Each structure stands twice: as C-alpha cells, then as structure tokens.
Amino acid sequence: MCEIIYGNVIRMETLEMDRGERVERTVAIYESSDSVRNHENTERLQARSHTGSVSVKNRRHRAVQVCLWLLCVLLLTAVVVLCVYFTTDRNRLLTHNYNLTKEKEKILTEYTEILNQNRNMTEEREEMKNKSYELQRGLTEQDQRSDNFKWIYYNFSFYYISSELKSWSDSREDCKQRGADLVIINSKEEQGFLQNGVANNRYWIGLRNDQGLWKWTDGNTFTTGYWNEGHPSSKNNLCASLTSLGWTDEWCKSHKKWICKRRLLK
C-alpha cells in the first residue's frame, strides 16, 4: 500500500503543473495515506480488541467450567461420604439390634429355665412335705402303739411324757426328733391338765432364762407363770421344770424327765 502511494507521488511530481497544484495533490495524497494508515490501525485495534474480548470470554468460560467441575467433585465426595456414613451407621444399628435380640432370647431362655426349676422345686418341696407328714404320722402312730401311755391327747395337741432323764438341751433335741418341741403352756387349763399327770416327778418344759429374761422356746417372753413358792431365780443357765406344785427353776444341765408337745392344727 505504501509503495503504491509513494509511486503516485513521484509520478505526480513529474507532471508539468504549477507548484501550487502539485502541493495540493501531494497534501491530498499524504492525507489519503494517513487515513489509510489510521484505518489500518483502527482495524488492527479492533481486531486486537475483538481477540482480547474473545480471549477474556474464553478464560471466563473456562473458569466457570472449572468451578462447575470442582462443585461436582465436591458434591460427589459429599454424597460418597454420606453414603458411607449412613451405611456404617445402619450396619451398626443392625448389629446392635441383632445383639439385643440375642440377649432377649437368652434372658427368656434363662427365665424359662428358672420357672421350670422353681416349679420342680415346688413339686419336690410338696413331695417332701407330704413324705414328712406321712413319716410324722407314721412315727406318731408307731409311738402310740408301742408306748401309748407316753402320748396324751388334749385340746388338739399330743403330749409326750418321757420316762428317761436328760438335760434340758438333750430333752428338747429328743422332742424335735419326734416332730415336736418342749411343751409351751398357754393357759391355766393346760397347766392344770399337765400338773395333774406329773405326780411327784419333775419334767422339763420349754421355758429358759435368757440373760435374765425367761423366754419360751418360740422366742416369746412369758406373761403368765405358775411358779412354785420361792421361784424363779434371776440367775442365768436356769430352765423351768413342771411339778405337781407348779414350776421350779433348775440348772439346765441337770437331768430330768421332759414333756413334748405337738399340735395337730398350726
């Protein structure tokens, strides 16, 4: 473009024209050259501006794509983490529920076994009770048949009158072996009944001095006594015996006869 313009300038200078015309044409040509240059520069600037704007748009588009990609990665990571967490928690809950179910089944099994054992023990206890009752009844009948005068019936109770001599403790042990205990006198009528049958002998009864207090063998402190004159003493290791005149206190280790009592109704 420049070569063409300079060529035109040279050719114009060779023309035979006045100086003023040549100057005007030269100026016009130079003006045309400047406008062409300005136009070219403008086009270059526009091209550069367009290229720059396209590049900026491309970079922005690429940045948006990167952000979207990162967001997708983050969302996918969060989803994976949540899935792993909930799967682990679900498995833990299932395991816990399974263990609770097993523990419940174990407790139910043990409870059933305890119920069965309790039922068996109840049946065994009833059986032993029946056998004990039968044995006691058989012993009573045997004692009454072999030595009828030793067992006396009075007011729903049997009284065993011994013919041997033993200490108070041994006498009580003998009564227990017979399914009874040393007699506890509960009324004036019972006292009179027994007192009339002892003649001139002394028989241990279930009354003993326990640290200064007279108590029956069932642990109760007696309230009404039928003591002979001058009795009882406040000394320890004394036991009560029944005579035809009332009660007397004796050393528990001394040997006396005894009276056992076994009630029919308890």
Side-chain angles (χ1 to χ4, degrees), residues 86-100:
F86 285 116
T87 301
T88 304
D89 191 60
R90 178 176 177 272
N91 292 334
R92 183 180 62 81
L93 291 175
L94 290 175
T95 303
H96 184 64
N97 186 44
Y98 175 79
N99 293 333
L100 288 177

Side-chain angles (χ1 to χ4, degrees), residues 30-176:
Y30 277 107
E31 289 178 352
S32 297
S33 175
D34 291 337
S35 63
V36 170
R37 290 173 182 170
N38 291 333
H39 179 70
E40 289 178 350
N41 291 332
T42 301
E43 289 180 350
R44 288 192 188 97
L45 290 174
Q46 289 178 351
R48 291 176 181 175
S49 175
H50 178 70
T51 304
S53 63
V54 171
S55 176
V56 170
K57 289 182 181 180
N58 289 335
R59 285 198 296 273
R60 290 178 180 176
H61 182 68
R62 192 173 297 108
V64 171
Q65 288 179 340
V66 171
C67 291
L68 290 175
W69 183 81
L70 290 176
L71 182 60
C72 291
V73 171
L74 291 175
L75 289 176
L76 181 60
T77 303
V79 170
V80 171
V81 170
L82 288 175
C83 288
V84 172
Y85 173 77
F86 285 116
T87 301
T88 304
D89 191 60
R90 178 176 177 272
N91 292 334
R92 183 180 62 81
L93 291 175
L94 290 175
T95 303
H96 184 64
N97 186 44
Y98 175 79
N99 293 333
L100 288 177
T101 303
K102 288 295 183 181
E103 188 68 21
K104 179 182 178 182
E105 293 176 353
K106 181 180 178 181
I107 292 174
L108 288 176
T109 302
E110 292 178 352
Y111 178 71
T112 302
E113 292 178 354
I114 292 173
L115 288 179
N116 292 332
Q117 292 177 358
N118 186 44
R119 183 171 58 252
N120 294 334
M121 291 177 63
T122 302
E123 293 176 354
E124 291 177 359
R125 184 169 61 250
E126 290 297 327
E127 184 178 358
M128 292 178 64
K129 184 177 179 180
N130 293 333
K131 289 181 178 180
S132 177
Y133 175 76
E134 293 294 334
L135 180 60
Q136 290 181 7
R137 188 175 64 179
L139 290 175
T140 300
E141 294 175 352
Q142 181 179 0
D143 288 342
Q144 291 176 346
R145 285 195 303 268
S146 61
D147 202 358
N148 288 330
F149 73 91
K150 292 183 179 181
W151 285 97
I152 303 172
Y153 175 80
Y154 172 78
N155 195 20
F156 300 104
S157 297
F158 279 106
Y159 298 85
Y160 178 82
I161 310 298
S162 74
S163 58
E164 302 177 70
L165 299 175
K166 290 185 178 182
S167 66
W168 187 89
S169 297
D170 292 340
S171 299
R172 188 181 182 193
E173 184 64 27
D174 181 83
C175 290
K176 288 183 177 180

Side-chain angles (χ1 to χ4, degrees), residues 160-164 168 182-183 194 197-206 240-243 248 256-259:
Y160 178 82
I161 310 298
S162 74
S163 58
E164 302 177 70
W168 187 89
L182 288 175
V183 61
L194 293 174
V198 296
N200 294 324
N201 294 312
R202 296 185 179 186
Y203 295 83
W204 290 125
I205 62 175
S241 64
L242 176 66
T243 69
T248 61
K256 309 290 180 184
K257 296 182 180 180
W258 66 92
I259 300 176

